[in-house]
Each structure stands twice: as structure tokens, then as C-alpha cells.
Amino acid sequence: MRELSKRTENFTDSVIRRMTRISLQHGAINLSQGFPDFDPPKEITDRLKEVADKGPHQYALTWGAQNFREALAKKQEHFSGMKVDPDKEIVVTCGSTEAMMASMMSIVNPGDKVAVFSPFYENYGADAILSGAEPIYIPLVPPAFSFDPNLLEDAFKKGAKALILCNPSNPCGKVFTKEELEIIAKLAIQYDCYVITDEVYEHIIYEPYQHTYLATLPGMRERTIICNSLSKTYSITGWRLGYVIASPEIVERVKKVHDFLTVGAAAPLMEAAVTGLNFPDEYYRDLQAHYTHMKELFTGGLKQLGFSYTEPQGAYYVLMDVSEFGVTDDVAFCEWLAKEVGVGAVPGSSFFKEDVHNYIRFHFAKKDETLHAALDNLERLRSKAKTR
Ligand code: GLN
């Protein structure tokens, strides 16, 4: 047989999703792949039941149903102050995964350089390969996950055409400060670069941190491509509703890429999710309070057990430092952890470009009982590790 494509021959499967399969296989409490085990808001699922009877069931407009884009534009303006034209500046995609891929394909030519902060969400590596981009990694240095602006400037000097910015950040829970974003903006403008943002955790922020929308900084609106989704904000990761917000020139291109990649997001799900986009402020306050509770329960438990971790400022993950277990192979450690301790986690090395093997990532968007059960299992980690 002829060989398969060169472009994809070095692909590994997603470590995050592999850890979900391994957790299932061993009956471990799965704190690896980030998705809630609690229900979405009832108003949204009630609306979905009505939609099942009344439709729509056929294709929506390829760049997203009109009412969905209008509700998105209104919500974006409400939280960021940005005015967004729902016809010219939004494309609805199948999750932010497609939003990111379509953005990369719209901006990058094979061989172009793209700057990426490391640790990074693993999909960006695959996005770079699929679009032919050559990533230049800029370390976010633990424990504060700060970056050296000179290294960022070096990436731009080497010709990076775009920067991928995940804020709030998966996996490290960093929320970029306004000052840091101003540094990024200044360099992006100076070197005439695009910034593709992944802002899926925009509403999952812990006090006193605040989310700043990069696109709202002077000069950034026309060079920022926002990728986002409803997955985390409304606990509907399986609905695959994402979107791109950018200038009309960029969106016109993304619309075409999206059209040929997937045609469109699911029409009945868009219709039902409009209910969520129209929620009052109270919903987002409650969401924040709920996440703060889950974060405190889980990280408080880790602290009590004497484990070392980085306090998340946003998003729903915590990186635990497993140096005390002498871990050199974090992948093997996570497989062992799922099998012997009964908790699924993601090996940190799948997020770091650097040679870092002392972190594992837990996510905590889970019911109290799930988090308590995971902590109960983790209580046995040290004694089990002695016989490892
Ligand atoms: N963003 C989530 C994570 O990092 C889920 C990823 C996925 O499987 N799509 O775990």
C-alpha cells in the first residue's frame, strides 16, 4: 500500500483523551479530561426538549444561526465592551477546537512561524502540524508561570506571524494580567503579528483575578482572533458549540475555511443554547461561586494531604508537583495512579515543550462527592508509592 500522509505521521493520539480511556478501563475517578460531571442549566436542557419537537433540524446558515450570532454579539459586548457585528465578525464553529483550526488555516501558510506559550493545551501542537506552522515556544516559568518579554520579542524577531494565547490558561491556571497583555499587545503591533486567543475559561476566574480581553487593548481589535466556546461556561462540552470573533476581513476568510471543514454547528443545539447566551449576570456570578467552591474543596484537600501544587487563578485545572515521588516518567506515573490509586490525571509533559516531568494535571469541575472520593483515594498515594 502507498504510505499515508507525511503531515500526520508523527501524530500521537491525544494524551488527555487517552487518560480518560485509561481511567475508564481501571474504574478510576477521572480527573484527567476536563468536563463537568454535573448537569447543564435546566433552562437550556428544557429548551432542548422543546427544540426536539419544533426544530430546527436542518442546516443553519453555515456561519451560525442568526439568533445565536446576535445573542453572542450582545453577550460579548456586555462582558468586554466590544461592539461586534453578528453578520460580519462572528463564525460559529464545532467547538473552539474547530475555531482554532479554522483560524490557523486562515492565517498561516506552511512554513510560517507561530509563537506559543508553554505549557500549552495539546491541540495547539496538532493545529500547528495540520496548518504547516512551525511553533516557537515561549516558556511560562513555574511556579508563577511568568514569561520573559525578551523571549517573546525574540519569537517575533524570528518572524512569528501569530501568537497563540490561552487566557485563562489551560493547564497552568494562569490569568494574564493587564500589564502582561499590554506587553504582548505592544510587541504584536510593533512586529505586525496576529494573536489568536483561546478564551474558553473567560468566566471561570477566582478572586481577585480578572479577565482582560486582549482585543479591547488599543490597536488589538484588528489583529486579535478570539476563539471561544459555550462548553465550559454552560457545562455543555459535548454540544461542540464554539465561535470565532475577529475583524470582518479575517472572519470572511474563516467563514470559508469553516464552511468546507464542517459546514456548520448543530442547528438544534444552537437554538437551545441561545437560552444560555441570554442568561442574566447572576448566572455568571453563581458559576464563579460554584467554581470557587470546587477549587477550594479540591486544592484545600490537596493542601491538607501535604501535596504541592500551583494555586489556579482561573480555568478548572490544578498542576500538582509530584517531584517527591521521584517521577521521571510522568506518563507511566499517571497510568499507575489510575490503576493503583484510582484517580485519573494528565501527565504534565503533554503540555510542556521543555523537559518537564514533575507535574500532573487534575481538573476539578466535579460534584462534591466525586472530589471527596478522589481525595480519599489520593490519601493512599504516599503509602502506595512506597511499593511502586
Ligand atoms: N479542554 C479540556 C481539557 O484540556 C478537554 C479537551 C478535550 O478533550 N477536548 O481537558
Side-chain angles (χ1 to χ4, degrees):
M1 297 291 283
R2 306 278 296 266
E3 62 183 23
L4 303 179
S5 85
K6 284 250 174 302
R7 182 183 280 153
T8 53
E9 76 186 356
N10 293 326
F11 260 37
T12 55
D13 58 338
S14 150
V15 182
I16 297 178
R17 294 177 281 278
R18 191 195 316 156
M19 285 315 302
T20 280
R21 293 193 293 276
I22 290 176
S23 300
L24 285 171
Q25 184 188 336
H26 298 297
I29 296 161
N30 185 10
L31 303 188
S32 60
Q33 188 182 17
F35 61 88
D37 70 349
F38 44 85
D39 291 332
K42 192 170 174 314
E43 296 90 324
I44 298 182
T45 47
D46 281 351
R47 178 74 187 120
L48 183 61
K49 288 177 196 150
E50 284 171 16
V51 173
D53 285 334
K54 294 190 193 136
H57 291 296
Q58 308 309 325
Y59 300 126
L61 278 182
T62 181
W63 45 87
Q66 189 71 28
N67 59 344
F68 188 86
R69 279 180 289 107
E70 282 170 6
L72 264 181
K74 221 170 90 204
K75 174 177 173 285
Q76 187 70 23
E77 181 174 359
H78 180 68
F79 285 104
S80 69
M82 293 165 62
K83 279 234 169 296
V84 180
D85 181 334
D87 297 320
K88 298 200 175 114
E89 296 183 310
I90 300 183
V91 188
V92 183
T93 56
C94 298
S96 60
T97 300
E98 191 210 338
M100 181 62 73
M101 189 71 248
S103 300
M104 293 275 282
M105 293 191 109
S106 300
I107 285 177
V108 168
N109 287 315
D112 281 346
K113 297 185 174 68
V114 169
V116 184
F117 285 112
S118 164
F120 59 96
Y121 173 47
E122 60 174 9
N123 273 39
Y124 307 157
D127 294 339
I129 293 172
L130 287 173
S131 60
E134 282 176 26
I136 303 177
Y137 296 96
I138 300 128
L140 292 173
V141 185
F145 293 100
S146 45
F147 66 94
D148 178 348
N150 292 320
L151 293 183
L152 180 60
E153 181 157 13
D154 282 350
F156 288 144
K157 277 188 186 152
K158 283 182 197 146
K161 186 175 187 182
L163 165 73
I164 299 180
L165 175 76
C166 183
N167 181 35
S169 185
N170 176 10
C172 64
K174 177 186 176 67
V175 174
F176 284 75
T177 62
K178 185 143 188 247
E179 292 66 37
E180 287 174 319
L181 294 175
E182 279 165 354
I183 293 171
I184 293 171
K186 183 172 164 276
L187 291 170
I189 294 166
Q190 185 182 339
Y191 289 90
D192 190 19
C193 255
Y194 294 106
V195 183
I196 307 175
T197 64
D198 175 346
E199 301 185 56
V200 301
Y201 304 100
E202 66 179 316
H203 295 293
I204 303 180
I205 296 268
Y206 309 106
E207 277 184 357
Y209 301 96
Q210 280 191 340
H211 182 62
T212 304
Y213 296 84
L214 182 75
T216 63
L217 299 187
M220 288 311 290
R221 180 70 163 89
E222 61 268 34
R223 60 182 68 248
T224 304
I225 299 98
I226 299 175
C227 298
N228 207 332
S229 95
L230 278 68
S231 290
K232 320 299 192 214
T233 305
Y234 306 103
S235 309
I236 46 174
T237 61
W239 289 28
R240 314 308 303 128
L241 291 178
Y243 53 96
V244 172
I245 296 180
S247 68
E249 295 71 28
I250 297 172
V251 157
E252 201 181 302
R253 189 67 67 88
V254 179
K255 276 180 179 172
K256 291 176 190 150
V257 176
H258 157 75
D259 194 3
F260 290 111
L261 273 180
T262 61
V263 177
L269 300 182
M270 276 191 274
E271 181 62 35
V274 168
T275 309
L277 293 173
N278 289 332
F279 279 159
D281 283 351
E282 194 190 351
Y283 173 78
Y284 302 92
R285 278 197 294 270
D286 290 350
L287 183 81
Q288 191 174 4
H290 184 202
Y291 271 100
T292 302
H293 163 78
M294 291 184 283
K295 175 185 82 88
E296 279 171 9
L297 195 169
F298 189 65
T299 60
L302 292 181
K303 192 173 187 176
Q304 217 165 24
L305 294 172
F307 294 127
S308 147
Y309 61 90
T310 314
E311 192 69 40
Q313 303 171 347
Y316 54 37
Y317 309 99
V318 55
L319 285 177
M320 180 166 124
D321 187 341
V322 288
S323 306
E324 67 166 285
F325 301 104
V327 175
T328 48
D329 181 345
D330 55 341
V331 176
F333 182 79
C334 282
E335 284 174 14
W336 171 83
L337 189 76
K339 189 163 176 233
E340 301 296 335
V341 183
V343 184
V346 183
S349 59
S350 61
F351 304 104
F352 282 89
K353 185 62 192 168
E354 301 77 26
D355 205 15
V356 172
H357 296 274
N358 62 312
Y359 290 106
I360 61 173
R361 190 198 76 171
F362 291 118
H363 96 97
F364 50 77
K366 293 288 184 238
K367 292 177 188 152
D368 284 12
E369 62 256 39
T370 312
L371 295 176
H372 282 300
L375 288 167
D376 284 349
N377 287 356
L378 287 173
E379 201 173 347
R380 296 196 292 273
L381 168 55
R382 281 206 184 90
S383 59
K384 292 247 180 193
K386 285 197 188 111
T387 58
R388 203 177 139 234

